[in-house]
Amino acid sequence: MNTSVVPSSSNFRNELPTTDSAGGRRWLYPRSVTGRFTRWRTVVALVLLVALFAGPFVWVDGHPLFLFNVLERRFIFFGVSFWPQDFYLLAFGLVTFIVFVTLFTVVYGRVWCGWACPQTIFMEMVFRKIEVWIEGDYNARKRLDTSPWTGEKVAKKSLKHGVFLLISFAISNTFLAYLIGRDQWLTLITDNPNAHIGGLASIWLFTGVFYLVFAQLREIVCTTICPYGRLQGVLLDKNSLIVAYDFIRGEPRGKKVRGEERGVRSTAIQNTFYPLPIAKGDCIDCKLCVQVCPAGIDIRNGTQLECINCTLCVDACNEVMHKINRPLGLIRMDSQQGIEQGKPFRFTSRIMAYSGVLIVLLGILGFLLVSRPSLDVTILRAPGQLFQRETGKQVSNLYLVEIMNKTYRPIPVRFRLSRSDAKLIFVQPLSTVPAGELTKGMFFINLPEKSIRQNSTPLQVDVLVGNQVVKQLETTFLGPVH
């Protein structure tokens, strides 16, 4: 987005907020703030944290609510099982998700990053809270890090990083439970460790990764590692909702002087809301918006890559505006168009186009989910086999069958051939497909030799549940031709 009209320091982008002039790491010490948006973020975070930790342990009718077992290629989403045979659903779901992310970002900017992203929730609502509880406010944390090593510093740092490791361990176990399921996870942590070296190593590996992310990398994940953070610069436009500083109302900045009247326009920037030209704008240059920012940026310099729309600066600025008896919203959720021209947010043709595509994709995905068959049946001729002559002038072919039961109940099945003179004989009886399992079997199809008129005779195999045909499969029967 173009922010050239926003008054700012001339060198604010010469270095990153997380690096110093020499290129070294600059640690950020965000100041704590309270306010309406912060309270709502806390509520949202608590709900999402409970849902995240409870997800793999909530079972409905004997199966988990969520499971993402990549190794066994089995996925359960809101109690519905998905198998490799459902790859087409995954493809449509992925396309729909990409369009949704694009649309959401075009309309609401990086609200996901600031309000729902697990990285932000854990960092700001868990790890940062613990850090403040142990080491103190932002000034105390800064003094502690720059002070020499004393007994107090060692104790506080050891306690903090010990708690960080414990939380990372809990996150690691939850993550693994999502991958392998609750029961296998319980077996992993309660059984003989020698029988699960790989699984236990995975737990500690994930623990180390999560600890590194939240204790060391922190905001670097959002600005450097996460691809969505890079993508937002392409998706945002002047109509996107962002956390924005109203530079027209706030400039020129200046410290508050007792008895001084403040407004929102100087003689150089006319104010349509305040008819009289006033020397100073509403921004008193207190820098609270910078001090509370977890990304270390100055939002008054315009929209920047590091901003995650966490709205902490909004609460901090509103608190100051309340104290100096000025209208709230100097920093607020708005679009660049709204800031510059005072236009309310509206749906553009771009947003409507994205919405139309998204509705179509959701409709297709919903239809595919509703029409997804309970049984997925595959019949193949046995590889390397032609035909065999049997007694009674019969010819037989050997077939392989695979039946995937996608439901949570056993399903009785039977097979029927389209030809009355054909006979189907299973090598081992197959009458019921267990719940949620892939069942394999073999069967012969016999045809009288006199009825064979060609090398490859088309056959239709009907799969029935009760008296209802749920699947009709085409195959071929090989035989001699005289």
Side-chain angles (χ1 to χ4, degrees), residues 421-466:
D421 59 346
K423 187 176 182 181
L424 189 148
I425 305 172
F426 269 93
V427 175
Q428 291 182 338
L430 177 58
S431 59
T432 302
V433 184
E437 291 187 13
L438 177 65
T439 302
K440 298 181 180 181
M442 292 187 296
F443 60 83
F444 289 97
I445 294 180
N446 292 354
L447 274 178
E449 187 172 347
K450 63 181 181 180
S451 66
I452 299 174
R453 299 289 185 265
Q454 53 189 352
N455 288 331
S456 179
T457 303
L459 284 178
Q460 177 180 299
V461 181
D462 296 336
V463 183
L464 294 90
V465 175

Side-chain angles (χ1 to χ4, degrees), residues 58-70:
V58 175
W59 282 47
V60 179
D61 294 332
H63 57 271
L65 196 62
F66 295 100
L67 179 67
F68 306 100
N69 195 330
V70 179

